[in-house]
Amino acid sequence: MSAENQNQHRYVHALNELDDVNIRRIRPLIPPQILMEDLPLTEAAAATIIRGRKAAADIISGSDDRLLVVVGPCSIHHPAAALEYADSLKAYADTASEDLCIVMR
């Protein structure tokens, strides 16, 4: 095997060692339409989303002088913990709403 082929082989082997080393299994995602049918959006949830989007747009456009703060987990692995975090964040967001618009991603 030539030196160039050996280098290429080592490179490919190194990439394989890095690829998905922390993934135990892969499950296909539910198509969005099925998810929306199984878990329809409530009117209260829709109103929350609309208010949050409007507040963010107003801050970005400068018509609201509050600071927009986007926080939260990058992903949710433990739904119960995420709900607890969301409750705590909401309580704080309510107390700081004069100066901050806190949005959980």
Side-chain angles (χ1 to χ4, degrees), residues 7-67:
N7 286 338
Q8 181 67 24
H9 178 73
R10 279 196 292 269
Y11 176 75
V12 169
H13 179 71
L15 287 179
N16 288 338
E17 290 293 313
L18 296 173
D19 190 38
D20 299 333
V21 295
N22 293 314
I23 296 175
R24 284 186 230 146
R25 65 184 167 136
I26 296 175
R27 294 184 332 185
L29 294 175
I30 298 170
Q33 187 60 40
I34 292 174
L35 184 61
M36 290 166 50
E37 289 171 7
D38 289 349
L39 300 169
L41 187 64
T42 65
E43 285 186 41
T48 298
I49 294 166
I50 291 167
R51 277 193 313 273
R53 287 180 178 173
K54 181 175 181 343
D58 289 348
I59 292 167
I60 291 169
S61 72
S63 63
D64 184 331
D65 67 351
R66 293 181 297 165
L67 179 66

Side-chain angles (χ1 to χ4, degrees), residues 48-61 63-72 89-90 92-105:
T48 298
I49 294 166
I50 291 167
R51 277 193 313 273
R53 287 180 178 173
K54 181 175 181 343
D58 289 348
I59 292 167
I60 291 169
S61 72
S63 63
D64 184 331
D65 67 351
R66 293 181 297 165
L67 179 66
L68 178 61
V69 183
V70 181
V71 299
L89 185 62
K90 171 74 168 104
Y92 178 74
D94 289 344
T95 66
S97 64
E98 189 174 312
D99 300 311
L100 305 174
C101 174
I102 301 176
V103 178
M104 184 172 163
R105 46 179 281 151

